[in-house]
Amino acid sequence: QVQLEESGGGSVQAAGSLNLSCAASEYVRCMGWFRQAPGKEREGVASINQFGTPYIADSVKGRFTISKDNNKNILSLEMNNLQPEDSGLYYCAADYSIWCPDLGLRYKYWGQGTRVTVSS
């Protein structure tokens, strides 16, 4: 059972930045970030595979960067130029067997989430 723990969420004003981190209890080949705003479905934000190949959602492309330290089992998400519509609960997810990178919801392991609030 892979344990995932997110950190780094908080409150910022529009155009601000935040860096999220996800510590995994062990190495996992495929990892990703997802978010869910109140009243909305969970959506994929960014994913990365074991080779460092990223897949970034169009809604955040050019503003968010995903990276993965395979030695430390840490997944990161650098978020710049944040906008109010980026607010939500951000989840880290991981899976051994899915085709990766992937922004679908098929990941087997999920963290508890870290909240991001962007005010205008």
Side-chain angles (χ1 to χ4, degrees), residues 33-35 42-46 56-60 102-105:
W33 287 101
F34 294 77
R35 67 186 182 187
R42 191 172 299 189
E43 63 175 355
V45 175
I56 310 294
D58 288 342
S59 59
V60 302
D102 185 81
L103 295 182
L105 300 178

Side-chain angles (χ1 to χ4, degrees), residues 62-117:
R63 300 188 296 123
F64 290 14
T65 302
I66 188 171
S67 60
K68 184 168 176 275
D69 186 329
N70 289 323
N71 292 322
K72 298 181 178 179
N73 301 328
I74 293 177
L75 179 72
S76 299
L77 185 69
E78 179 182 347
M79 306 186 295
N80 296 312
N81 192 21
L82 283 161
Q83 300 301 314
E85 53 266 32
D86 295 317
S87 297
L89 197 57
Y90 280 68
Y91 297 92
C92 173
D95 198 289
Y96 289 107
S97 60
I98 62 173
W99 184 259
C100 192
D102 185 81
L103 295 182
L105 300 178
R106 296 174 294 163
Y107 288 73
K108 182 174 182 179
Y109 303 104
W110 293 83
Q112 296 298 308
T114 184
R115 187 164 299 280
V116 172
T117 303

